[in-house]
Amino acid sequence: TSMAQDSFGFVWIGTQDAKGSIKAKAEIENGKWHTHAEVPDPLPVGSKVWVEIETTDGKRAIGSFDLKM
């Protein structure tokens, strides 16, 4: 999946529905995507790091990474 310079990206920590989380917008900085995400307190059970992007063809894709605690 490729991303254009004007594509968007969001990152959040928590559950897929982002309830209780703050989505952080990712921006391109020096040719790489960069963001700062806030960790909700308390951290919901089953929380992950979530990433949502818009691809160059306008489709949205979402994925997650497990947290190591």
Side-chain angles (χ1 to χ4, degrees):
T1 303
S2 63
M3 295 179 65
Q5 188 89 2
D6 60 349
S7 296
F8 73 82
F10 290 100
V11 174
W12 68 96
I13 298 171
T15 56
Q16 184 173 1
D17 63 7
K19 186 176 180 179
S21 299
I22 298 172
K23 285 188 175 185
K25 185 174 183 181
E27 298 177 321
I28 294 177
E29 189 175 290
N30 297 322
K32 297 181 180 179
W33 286 90
H34 180 81
T35 191
H36 293 271
E38 293 186 37
V39 178
D41 185 19
L43 193 62
V45 174
S47 289
K48 297 181 179 188
V49 175
W50 291 91
V51 178
E52 178 183 1
I53 61 168
E54 181 181 273
T55 62
T56 53
D57 59 1
K59 295 180 182 175
R60 291 184 183 198
I62 190 170
S64 65
F65 302 91
D66 291 332
L67 295 173
K68 295 192 179 210
M69 299 162 89

